[in-house]
Amino acid sequence: MADGRPFYITTPIYYVNARPHLGHAYTTIVADVASRFHAMKGIPTFFLTGTDEHGDKIVRAAQKENLSPRAYVDAISRQFRDLWPELNIGYDRFIRTTDPAHMAVVEKILQRIYDAGDIYYGEYEGLYCFGCERFYTERELVDGKCPDHQTEPETIRESNYFFKMSRYQDWLISHIQENPDFIRPERYKNEVLAFLREPLEDLCISRPKSRLEWGITLPFDDKYVTYVWFDALLNYVSALDYPDGERYRTFWPQAQHIVAKDILKPHGIYWPIMLKAAGIPVYRHLNVHGYWNVDESKMSKSLGNVADPLDLKNVYGLDAFRYFLVREMAFGLDANFSEAALVGRINADLANDLGNLFSRVTAMAHKYFKGVVPECDPEIDREVNLGLVTDAEKAVRVFEEEMERFGFHKAYNAVWELIGRMNKYIDMSAPWELAKKKSSRRQLEAVIYKFLEGLRIVSGLIYPAMPETAVSMQRHLGFDVPENADGPYFDLASLASWGGMAPGTQLPKSTTLFPRIEVKEKETPEEAPPPDPDIPEIKPEISFDAFGAVDLRVATIIKAEAIPRAKKLLKLEVDLGRRRTIVAGIAQHYDPEDLVGKQVIVAANLKPAKIMGTLSNGMLLAAVDKKKTAIATVEGEMKPGTPLR
Ligand code: MSP
């Protein structure tokens, strides 16, 4: 419960080998929700996120894009950094593992652990998964394959540095047992303890520079860089200006990490042991959530079902999107994302329950009291005797307890229970009947006051998940929320005490909080125009990967000439980063001299083929029908060799 300790919340620092997606957005949004909740309690908070930029995964991603690692990590890191404000995520610091100050901390801690004798040099042969950038034990593999990448790991033998994790195994077991919510929810604590029942192997913490240069050099051997997890985990302390920073002193021991189950082991085992070995107190809680699937499948590029948070925000609105994520996933378990489920919640929870409650109450306040908050006579109030005060107190209490233990979905469930009760009370007390008789005017005042007060409390409780809607509600309840208020207008304590609405306050004109989303019926086949018989059928679908295997490039035509005795063919010499000869069947539609200098699109990795005696090394793309052929080109000018995606 509330203990007034400062609150330090972190997300994983995300790898820059992929664009931000729904999964990253979830973790970062719940971190934001937790941080806003603690700010509402008046507690000093610090919210850290960032990007993880070293390691061979990143080098390979950069190579794929034809960029240097530096240029590549700068570009993708910026995408993450720029996305978060769009989702109203108010982090306090964005750390990058390529920040020199972070790198200096990593070196310092490596040296300290080395000096203490917990890092040794040895030979190692093991099964290495390049995707995960780590060695696997046979036991961890599923059918001989990496469980994450479904690929067989490669056997690698090399001399490396090792971290003596085994030395701290018993200490970690006792620490977890003595602090039962060190790792939560419980299922993940049990998973870590189960893992710790087997002897811990020492952790290989170096990579020879001959294999990987993009990393932090070991301070005690410049032929090696450090293993990416040893670098990444330390961001949580380097971001607080460890060891002497004021922030470190204030926030560190209170650290609460949020991660998904994929990175439980590094956070539940490596990290506390690293801290212990470095003489740094361990974090307070590791909060672990499950995985989002999309339309019942794992999100993956090849399935083409990677949900883009910005697209969803733009279509459905930011607060609706944030609310959905927070409410739909039981923190700790996997959840399924679908647009149908999102629309379902928007219509049921937001447009119906909350939106209707808000518009019914404010409309009645305008209709019966010209929008002036009425008095609530305590005598009459007792007589009216709605259970609303007790319900609201309960909602605030459960909300606070659940938010404290990262039960976000349960916290909001409690708020929606209150909303449901209020909607019921409106029907029960039937203010429209009270309004018919002069003699029940005082009752009407008491009832409407109560509903307005209930709305005030709801508007505060929704703030962490839906900051914009909360502010809008508060303004419509007559509170003067400043334009660029950085934080809630209500603190949690003011929500727990009944009676915050001031009688006599004039309410501004009401508004609709969440319009219903009309679900469009699918286009009926009768309405669609009949297919054109000249247009061929669309071929059977292929995977994203299959499409990606075709290497399409922009090419500039350098030379074009007819091929003797071949009426339809032209021999083209093109520049696509390198010179190529291509045979194209466009002679009846284009004069060779008109083609020189034109930019075209070429399938560059087709197996070369001899056509009428000339070797064609690639294929030019063109739109072809019975009468016409038009070559495909790019708009404006592009560098020859630029890939198409
Ligand atoms: N760089 C490491 C973390 C180092 S922290 C010291 C890493 N990066 S990651 O980009 O792969 O991010 C993993 C995290 O992203 C997960 O732990 C989770 O927070 C989030 N998610 C990525 N995909 C997700 C889902 N499909 N569902 C829920 N969260 C997911 O691991």
Side-chain angles (χ1 to χ4, degrees), residues 214-278:
W214 184 243
I216 300 176
T217 301
L218 295 185
F220 41 83
D221 189 338
D222 65 7
K223 291 184 292 308
Y224 289 87
V225 294
T226 190
Y227 170 46
V228 51
W229 275 105
F230 217 95
D231 162 359
L233 287 161
L234 286 166
N235 90 89
Y236 299 134
V237 291
S238 72
L240 297 178
D241 310 319
Y242 171 85
D244 301 318
E246 186 56 41
R247 280 174 177 167
Y248 174 73
R249 274 195 292 275
T250 310
F251 290 105
W252 171 250
Q254 307 308 332
Q256 299 227 30
H257 302 305
I258 306 187
V259 298
K261 62 184 187 180
D262 56 335
I263 49 176
L264 173 63
K265 194 171 159 192
H267 283 83
I269 297 179
Y270 307 171
W271 181 222
I273 291 183
M274 280 167 66
L275 288 165
K276 179 76 179 163

Side-chain angles (χ1 to χ4, degrees), residues 13-15 21 24 27 52 229 236 260 262-263 289 291-292:
I13 46 171
Y14 303 110
Y15 285 131
H21 60 55
H24 307 120
T27 315
D52 189 355
W229 275 105
Y236 299 134
D262 56 335
I263 49 176
H289 65 76
Y291 243 50
W292 279 99

Side-chain angles (χ1 to χ4, degrees), residues 62 95 293 317 351 413 425 472:
I95 190 164
N293 295 320
N413 199 35
Y425 288 142
S472 165

